[in-house]
Amino acid sequence: MFPTPSQVLRQREGTLEDTPFPLLLHSLMVEERTCTLELKVRQREKRIVFEDGSPVGCQSNLLHETLGKFLVEKGKLTEVDYQKALAESISSGLQMGALLIQKGLISPFDLYKQLQANLAHKLLDCFRWTDAKYRLIADVDSPDASVRMNTGQLILTGVANVMPFDAVATHFTFTDERRFGQMPGVDAGLKLSSKDARLFQALRQRPTFNELMERTSFDTETVLRRLYALCLLEVAGFVEDVDERAAKLAAAAPAPAPEPVVVPAEAPAPAAPQPQGTPFSDEDVAARDALVSAFLAHRSKDPFTLLEVPEDVQPVPLRKAFFALADRHSPLRFQTPELREKAESLLAAYAKAFGALSDAEQNLLWRKRRAAQREKERGTTRPSTAEQFRIRTDLLDATTQFEEAKRRLQARNYAGAFEYFEYACDIDPKPLYQAHRAFARYLMKPEAHGRLALQELQEVVRQEPGMEEGWAFLGEVAQGEGQWAVAEDAFRKAFKLNPKNRRYVELIQEIVKRR
């Protein structure tokens, strides 16, 4: 059905038109690769870092995907606080996240959640880059923050909601008589939505595609998207592949062991005493934030900084520092899987650092690295604030493109406006930008682009029914195309969203007279 992961990764570079993004993600996950995936399309660039097949970081040249702008967009940070923090981050060299925690603008726990959401947002955006070029790079710049994505969940969400449908239909083809089923013995660790679960359960009946649509009552697009993702993740497949896998599992299964002879005991053994210790810290906000803060920062620290010891530390103080930190963030103090997993990762990092500093050769190596870094910092001239701001403003900003496009639209430069609305949509495909792009496309050449603009605007208002501009543009284009019923309905919806605009009433009255 799909090429094997080794076949996909044999080619170090190519295009997402030939090798779609979800196929690349799945191949890197199965092969457990640690590498960097570079994506480029026109002016946009992203570098995704993978560790053991899981995305752990993504650098992007899109302004709205930076942490500060993302927090403003989500209402977690005001624009004023963002601008102040940005200026201070540039002048001090502190990372934005650490600075926000330091100023009390966000808690470590909330920051971790937003870092996860920001990474997911950056990666899901890549599913629409179907015309991008990609390159696999062996070098990895490990991100400072300890955030990791579930690749399987990312593939399911991206294919079901973001990837253009024509790309799905192009890369997932089969004949009408082919039947599908659930693949045995595969656990992708997926959290299925109600739609996903309903479709997955229907696969038990081994249906054809048309039967799957009938049993779920879903449309073609909904079924094809989810079926493509589930088959790519190998939790579903053609029935012949399902049967072949089931036969292999049955052949590999060990013979059942004979039942042991049970000898009744004279008396039941006493119950093991329950451990008596510190109560769980999950509900302790201070303890939880301290754990998450340490977890977020530990990747960027060397062994000395991580264990909070000087370079000339002796064995006894080193051991005491290790035990103190291991106890402070002990996994036994946390009950929820999410917090316990972070505590276990920290404990492993502390143990690794302790082992490195306990070894004379590694200890010397780390001290030499520190000395070299200090020399480098002394010989490096720090860029001025103005220079750093110039570097930051090289990021692609959709808002700037959108404002320039609106100025051109007001000046009746429709081709120029369309070009800049296209840039804005490339950077950030908001429905508002898409609505303006469709309207500019129509004004540029009404006789040629009317039908396409109408389709685009109908899709926009379906996605964003509360957008006044979308309905107003739809009314204008439908009126120009002679679709009076559609135009009247659109203007009525625009008027309902903004009753103060009496122009909608005049347009509706004109249409009623004409009809």
Side-chain angles (χ1 to χ4, degrees):
M1 187 182 296
F2 302 106
T4 64
S6 60
Q7 290 173 333
V8 172
L9 300 182
R10 194 174 298 153
Q11 189 172 338
R12 308 299 296 178
E13 54 185 66
T15 67
L16 297 188
E17 185 177 9
D18 298 325
T19 308
F21 185 61
L23 184 61
L24 269 176
L25 285 178
H26 179 256
S27 300
L28 291 167
M29 177 184 74
V30 173
E31 293 284 310
E32 297 183 342
R33 291 291 181 90
T34 296
C35 62
T36 300
L37 174 62
E38 182 183 78
L39 300 178
K40 290 185 178 182
V41 53
R42 291 182 286 279
Q43 294 177 298
R44 293 170 286 159
E45 296 181 14
K46 293 191 184 185
R47 289 169 67 92
I48 307 167
V49 178
F50 289 82
E51 286 186 0
D52 302 325
S54 296
V56 295
C58 178
Q59 293 180 343
S60 162
N61 70 338
L62 308 183
L63 181 63
H64 72 280
E65 290 187 345
T66 58
L67 177 62
K69 277 293 187 183
F70 181 79
L71 292 174
V72 172
E73 182 76 20
K74 296 298 179 183
K76 300 292 182 179
L77 190 66
T78 66
E79 182 66 29
V80 174
D81 285 338
Y82 162 66
Q83 293 295 341
K84 289 180 180 177
L86 177 62
E88 189 169 338
S89 173
I90 291 172
S91 62
S92 67
L94 280 174
Q95 291 186 344
M96 177 67 77
L99 189 62
L100 294 176
I101 291 175
Q102 188 182 93
K103 289 184 165 296
L105 294 172
I106 193 169
S107 71
F109 188 74
D110 284 343
L111 176 64
Y112 176 76
K113 291 293 186 184
Q114 294 305 317
L115 284 169
Q116 275 191 317
N118 188 23
L119 179 57
H121 177 70
K122 292 178 183 180
L123 296 175
L124 287 171
D125 180 56
C126 297
F127 280 85
R128 65 184 183 91
W129 289 26
T130 53
D131 53 347
K133 294 180 180 179
Y134 76 85
R135 184 164 65 105
L136 291 168
I137 307 169
D139 295 336
V140 173
D141 293 327
S142 295
D144 293 332
S146 304
V147 182
R148 184 176 292 266
M149 297 300 300
N150 180 332
T151 308
Q153 197 70 46
L154 182 69
I155 291 172
L156 179 59
T157 304
V159 171
N161 302 304
V162 182
M163 191 174 179
F165 179 62
D166 57 349
V168 175
T170 299
H171 293 289
F172 188 48
T173 58
F174 48 86
T175 55
D176 290 342
E177 66 271 10
R178 297 301 292 268
R179 293 188 173 273
F180 297 88
Q182 292 183 359
M183 194 69 73
V186 177
D187 181 15
L190 301 175
K191 294 180 181 178
L192 299 180
S193 67
S194 57
K195 277 188 176 182
D196 301 331
R198 186 172 168 185
L199 186 142
F200 187 64
Q201 291 301 320
L203 289 172
R204 288 185 175 181
Q205 307 300 320
R206 300 190 164 205
T208 63
F209 184 80
N210 290 329
E211 290 171 349
L212 195 55
M213 286 197 298
E214 290 174 6
R215 288 171 184 166
T216 58
S217 301
F218 297 154
D219 59 26
T220 302
E221 180 174 340
T222 301
V223 174
L224 192 64
R225 284 179 176 278
R226 284 160 176 79
L227 192 57
Y228 172 48
L230 294 175
C231 287
L232 181 59
L233 292 169
E234 298 178 325
V235 296
F238 294 138
V239 289
E240 53 268 31
D241 297 327
V242 171
D243 291 339
E244 182 181 349
R245 181 173 179 81
K248 287 181 179 178
L249 290 174
E259 294 187 7
V261 178
V262 180
V263 179
E266 295 181 0
Q274 294 297 317
Q276 302 294 322
T278 307
F280 291 119
S281 302
D282 300 64
E283 301 303 322
D284 185 338
V285 175
R288 186 185 67 186
D289 282 348
L291 170 68
V292 176
S293 183
F295 177 75
L296 285 173
H298 83 274
R299 292 173 66 101
S300 61
K301 296 179 178 180
D302 67 14
F304 292 106
T305 309
L306 186 61
L307 295 180
E308 301 172 8
V309 294
E311 291 182 27
D312 59 351
V313 63
Q314 297 302 305
V316 173
L318 175 63
R319 188 165 55 251
K320 286 183 177 179
F322 166 67
F323 284 132
L325 286 169
D327 180 64
R328 185 189 306 172
H329 302 304
S330 170
L332 299 177
R333 294 180 181 274
F334 299 94
Q335 190 174 21
T336 57
E338 185 180 14
L339 293 177
R340 179 170 285 190
E341 182 183 0
K342 291 175 177 55
E344 289 172 350
S345 297
L346 270 178
L347 183 59
Y350 293 146
K352 184 177 179 181
F354 176 72
L357 298 186
S358 299
D359 181 88
E361 290 185 6
Q362 289 193 53
N363 188 307
L364 178 61
L365 179 62
W366 278 108
R367 279 186 281 141
K368 285 182 177 179
R369 286 179 181 174
R370 277 195 152 198
Q373 183 63 31
R374 285 193 292 267
E375 284 295 322
K376 183 179 177 182
E377 290 173 356
R378 276 198 291 267
T380 302
T381 303
R382 185 175 180 79
S384 67
T385 303
E387 288 175 330
Q388 294 186 62
F389 264 117
R390 180 181 58 78
I391 293 169
R392 295 299 297 268
T393 53
D394 284 345
L395 296 170
L396 302 181
D397 180 16
T399 305
T400 303
Q401 312 291 339
F402 181 64
E403 293 301 326
E404 175 61 27
K406 288 201 296 185
R407 283 192 289 272
R408 294 182 179 221
L409 193 65
Q410 289 177 347
R412 298 180 181 274
N413 178 1
Y414 301 134
F418 174 78
E419 181 183 13
Y420 274 81
F421 284 136
E422 185 90 285
Y423 289 156
C425 290
D426 256 0
I427 297 167
D428 187 9
K430 288 183 177 179
L432 178 65
Y433 300 165
Q434 292 176 347
H436 280 80
R437 179 182 63 180
F439 191 52
R441 186 198 303 276
Y442 172 73
L443 294 175
M444 188 168 56
K445 193 175 285 187
E447 66 281 0
H449 299 157
R451 183 175 298 178
L452 176 58
L454 196 66
Q455 292 173 350
E456 290 178 335
L457 287 166
Q458 286 173 329
E459 176 61 23
V460 166
V461 295
R462 185 187 69 80
Q463 294 178 17
E464 198 76 31
M467 189 202 307
E468 178 195 348
E469 295 95 329
W471 290 111
F473 294 155
L474 177 59
E476 295 277 5
V477 176
Q479 191 176 33
E481 291 293 292
Q483 298 194 24
W484 306 110
V486 175
E488 181 183 347
D489 179 66
F491 286 135
R492 287 187 184 279
K493 287 186 168 67
F495 177 69
K496 187 176 180 180
L497 292 168
N498 183 12
K500 293 181 180 180
N501 192 336
R502 305 302 299 176
R503 181 171 174 273
Y504 296 139
V505 177
E506 296 169 2
L507 289 167
I508 293 168
Q509 289 173 345
E510 287 179 14
I511 291 172
V512 170
K513 287 179 183 178
R514 184 182 293 272
R515 293 181 65 186

